[in-house]
Amino acid sequence: MSEPFDIRQFPGLPPEVVKAFEAQQFELAVERAARQHEQAVGAEKDVFITELKALVEKLESQVADHRRTKFGPKSEKLSPDQLELALEDQETAIAETQQQIDEVQNKLDQLDKTAKDKKPRKPRKPRTLPEGLPRVERVINPENIVCPCGCGDMVKIGEDRSERLDVIPAQYQVVVTVRPKYACPKGRTGVVQAKAPAHLLENSWPTEALLAQITVAKFCDFNPLNRQSVAMARNGAPIDRSVLSDWMGRTGALIAPVVDHMAMLLLKGSTRLYVDETTAPVLDPGRGKTKTGYFWAVMRDDRGWNGPSPPGVVFHYRPGRNGKYAEEILKGFDGTIQVDAYGGYTALGTSKRVGGAPLKLAYCWSHGRRALIKAQPKAGSPIVDEALLQIAAIYKIEAEIRGLPAAQRRAVRQEKSCQLVDKFFVWLNAQAGRVSRKSELGKALAYMLRRQEGFRLFLDDGHVDMDSNLVENAIRSPAMTRRNTLFAGHDDGARCWARFASLIGTCRINGVEPYAYLLDLYTKLANGHLKKDIDTLMPWAYAAATSSQMSSPGTP
């Protein structure tokens, strides 16, 4: 780099020449500084662009993993609760990467001179918060509203509103019940005192509200009692886990008549039920290990054909999966059960059934489809692809007639679905002859072919659905509780668990907030409502009562 020219070496130059030269030197210095600044900014932008490209590649990879987990064949191999956990973590990672991209993009915009002329990126459209939540308005006024022109205070011409979701942390309090005693000052009469209020658990600390909260936390939010005990102590209420267990056990005994009555109503008032089972690990103290019990779910949901009966689900704990337990649970029921192809149900459809006439078994098309997907080789199979396309065509018709009356559903199925099902099983039989019976695919084809009668049953009965997905969704709640609790400590504890799961599961499918229902139930049980009218204690009765209260004139 050349040395800067020193004009002082020429003292005889005219002043105007010296002045012009100094001005030119100043402009060159400014231009040089601007060029150096641009080079520094360019280098910084290159760093940000490189970082941005890496983050975009990372985001694309995360999105691809999310799609593969949610929609790919592997999703069929994950249990529903495992799938939800996997998606939860992936979506969290995607959101984190998007936030990092936004931060880098903002830094680039600040460095870019033309960014000021660019239109600002549209912010994400905020989601509308539920109208039922209470609103607390916080008005923020300017520090000074005196008009600079001296005319006085400025006037309000409008406002901007934004909403954010807030929370009030849990706070425990002690309710002190005081019952003053009154007596005649002259001692002529006895003592007058108000009657003590009824409690669900007499001579115990918890109010019905606290019991409802503990129940919902464990059986709806899947938070075991030992964790609840730790949280309660942290918030100033040190209650031992064993005490919470005692409260839940006694409460479980008190709700038993309600759940038993609900189970009876499902059996007596239905012609079609869903039945499924899921494992319930139970501690086996003699061996120091866990044994495998089962929750048998019996569900009524007639919304598919617009039936009059409200939906409900009851879980029955049994120590095994033998078909005798299904027979015992369904004693007195006559009609159709929607099930998977587990062999324990087979005897219920024969003359060997004890406790009623043979049942009709409607098999689940989702299980048949799942068996085909599971048997598909890694390289793919045109047989599986074609089978899934044909099944999807039948499901498309089902989506169109959901909610229609049973007779209308049957008519549409006879007109449209019947020919598709006939074509499917003819095609399936032809493919089975081309595939080894010992292969996984051969077994999957035989799975559906051997049970054609049960798979076809929905065509002749508009009350029947194509699958048992509704009851599979219902058993996810006890499955999530199982994942967090690991096991039940005793068979009786598992039965108690099943009762709470029945009430909360029925609340869920009836659109009832579980805490509100349980608080109402516990309060009514404490006041002896069980003997007055047990039908009004059902979750669907609570749903109807609260709905009528909200719609009645003059209701606040």
Side-chain angles (χ1 to χ4, degrees):
M1 187 175 181
S2 58
E3 292 291 331
F5 183 77
D6 189 2
I7 198 171
R8 291 177 297 179
Q9 297 177 5
F10 305 94
L13 290 175
E16 58 272 15
V17 173
V18 175
K19 187 175 181 181
F21 179 80
E22 290 177 345
Q24 184 181 29
Q25 289 293 98
F26 177 77
E27 290 178 1
L28 288 173
V30 171
E31 181 181 351
R32 189 182 304 112
R35 187 166 55 252
Q36 291 175 347
H37 176 71
E38 280 190 22
Q39 291 174 349
V41 170
E44 192 173 0
K45 287 175 67 175
D46 289 341
V47 172
F48 288 143
I49 290 172
T50 301
E51 184 180 356
L52 189 61
K53 288 180 178 179
L55 287 171
V56 170
E57 290 178 2
K58 180 181 177 182
L59 179 62
E60 290 174 346
S61 175
Q62 290 173 338
V63 171
D65 288 341
H66 182 267
R67 287 176 178 168
R68 194 178 303 112
T69 302
K70 189 172 184 179
F71 302 110
K74 289 185 178 179
S75 65
E76 289 287 340
K77 299 179 181 179
L78 291 173
S79 65
D81 51 332
Q82 289 175 322
L83 177 60
E84 290 297 327
L85 290 172
L87 293 176
E88 175 185 312
D89 289 338
Q90 289 177 346
E91 288 160 357
T92 300
I94 288 172
E96 179 184 356
T97 304
Q98 287 176 328
Q99 179 63 28
Q100 292 172 343
I101 289 175
D102 289 343
E103 291 176 0
V104 174
Q105 186 63 57
N106 288 335
K107 292 177 181 177
L108 276 172
D109 290 345
Q110 291 174 4
L111 293 174
D112 192 351
K113 292 181 179 179
T114 62
K116 296 180 180 178
D117 302 326
K118 291 181 181 178
K119 292 183 179 180
R121 285 178 292 168
K122 291 183 178 180
R124 293 181 183 177
K125 187 177 180 180
R127 295 180 180 179
T128 304
L129 292 171
E131 291 295 329
L133 291 177
R135 258 64 176 177
V136 178
E137 289 196 359
R138 181 172 56 185
V139 181
I140 304 176
N141 282 311
E143 293 182 1
N144 187 0
I145 60 172
V146 176
C147 184
C149 78
C151 66
D153 290 345
M154 294 182 175
V155 296
K156 181 180 176 181
I157 60 171
E159 63 183 13
D160 290 330
R161 283 178 171 263
S162 61
E163 292 188 345
R164 300 174 68 196
L165 189 61
D166 193 19
V167 63
I168 301 174
Q171 181 179 357
Y172 295 94
Q173 62 184 9
V174 177
V175 177
V176 181
T177 301
V178 180
R179 295 186 297 132
K181 295 180 181 181
Y182 296 91
C184 175
K186 297 182 179 180
R188 296 173 181 173
T189 59
V191 177
V192 176
Q193 185 180 32
K195 185 179 179 181
H199 300 153
L200 183 64
L201 302 184
E202 294 293 346
N203 302 316
S204 289
W205 284 340
T207 63
E208 287 67 41
L210 179 57
L211 291 172
Q213 172 61 34
I214 296 170
T215 305
V216 169
K218 178 172 182 179
F219 298 101
C220 187
D221 300 334
F222 323 117
N223 192 11
L225 296 181
N226 63 317
R227 297 181 191 172
Q228 291 191 53
S229 176
V230 172
M232 291 176 72
R234 189 175 63 246
N235 286 281
I239 305 297
D240 192 76
R241 187 261 318 142
S242 62
V243 176
L244 299 181
S245 300
D246 176 74
W247 293 350
M248 285 294 96
R250 293 161 62 191
T251 303
L254 293 171
I255 65 171
V258 177
V259 178
D260 292 343
H261 186 73
M262 185 163 65
M264 183 272 293
L265 293 177
L266 295 185
L267 293 180
K268 300 297 183 183
S270 309
T271 59
R272 188 280 310 259
L273 293 172
Y274 299 90
V275 184
D276 201 359
E277 73 289 332
T278 186
T279 57
V282 178
L283 187 63
D284 191 356
R287 297 169 54 225
K289 299 180 181 179
T290 59
K291 58 184 179 180
T292 303
Y294 284 85
F295 288 138
W296 295 74
V298 177
M299 181 179 184
R300 175 181 70 192
D301 194 337
D302 297 338
R303 290 174 293 182
W305 57 275
N306 199 25
S309 300
V313 61
V314 172
F315 295 93
H316 303 261
Y317 172 75
R318 293 296 184 273
R321 200 188 182 198
N322 192 292
K324 67 180 182 181
Y325 297 122
E327 190 172 88
E328 174 187 312
I329 292 168
L330 294 170
K331 184 178 180 180
F333 171 74
D334 293 319
T336 302
I337 56 172
Q338 299 220 220
V339 293
D340 55 27
Y342 168 55
Y345 301 115
T346 305
L348 299 177
T350 68
S351 57
K352 297 180 181 179
R353 186 196 175 199
V354 177
L359 299 176
K360 294 181 180 179
L361 306 185
Y363 288 127
C364 174
W365 280 77
S366 283
H367 278 79
R369 179 176 58 185
R370 199 171 301 160
L372 291 168
I373 294 174
K374 187 176 181 180
Q376 186 174 27
K378 290 184 178 180
S381 168
I383 294 178
V384 174
D385 293 340
E386 176 62 24
L388 296 180
L389 286 174
Q390 293 194 37
I391 293 174
I394 305 171
Y395 264 104
K396 184 177 180 181
I397 298 173
E398 287 300 300
E400 295 171 354
I401 62 175
R402 177 163 180 79
L404 297 180
Q408 195 170 343
R409 277 159 55 101
R410 183 185 183 280
V412 174
R413 288 169 175 172
Q414 290 292 314
E415 179 186 352
K416 298 181 179 180
S417 302
C418 195
Q419 55 185 331
L420 295 180
V421 173
D422 289 342
K423 175 186 173 183
F424 173 75
F425 278 108
V426 170
W427 175 85
L428 203 67
N429 189 56
Q431 305 311 310
R434 300 170 49 197
V435 179
S436 170
R437 294 181 180 180
K438 296 182 179 180
S439 67
E440 292 299 319
L441 183 55
K443 294 177 182 177
L445 298 176
Y447 173 91
M448 298 196 73
L449 287 170
R450 288 199 305 266
R451 300 171 174 83
Q452 282 193 56
E453 182 180 354
F455 282 112
R456 291 176 178 271
L457 190 60
F458 80 101
L459 296 171
D460 298 317
D461 190 344
H463 302 91
V464 177
D465 288 334
M466 268 188 74
D467 55 47
S468 56
N469 287 349
L470 290 175
V471 71
E472 282 199 356
N473 291 336
I475 64 177
R476 290 176 63 182
S477 180
M480 286 293 288
T481 305
R482 176 188 64 211
R483 186 181 65 81
N484 285 276
T485 306
L486 301 181
F487 54 82
H490 192 274
D491 284 337
D492 288 335
R495 292 186 185 93
C496 185
W497 179 351
R499 293 187 200 111
F500 287 118
S502 300
L503 295 178
I504 289 176
T506 303
C507 282
R508 182 177 284 110
I509 58 180
N510 280 279
V512 172
E513 204 286 302
Y515 172 81
Y517 164 73
L518 290 173
L519 175 57
D520 181 75
L521 174 66
Y522 293 168
T523 302
K524 288 179 176 178
L525 288 176
N527 288 280
H529 205 85
L530 184 65
K531 298 178 181 179
K532 298 176 184 177
D533 188 358
I534 193 172
D535 286 332
T536 61
L537 300 181
M538 301 299 108
W540 53 76
Y542 176 84
T546 53
S547 177
S548 63
Q549 289 174 6
M550 292 178 63
S551 60
S552 61
T555 301

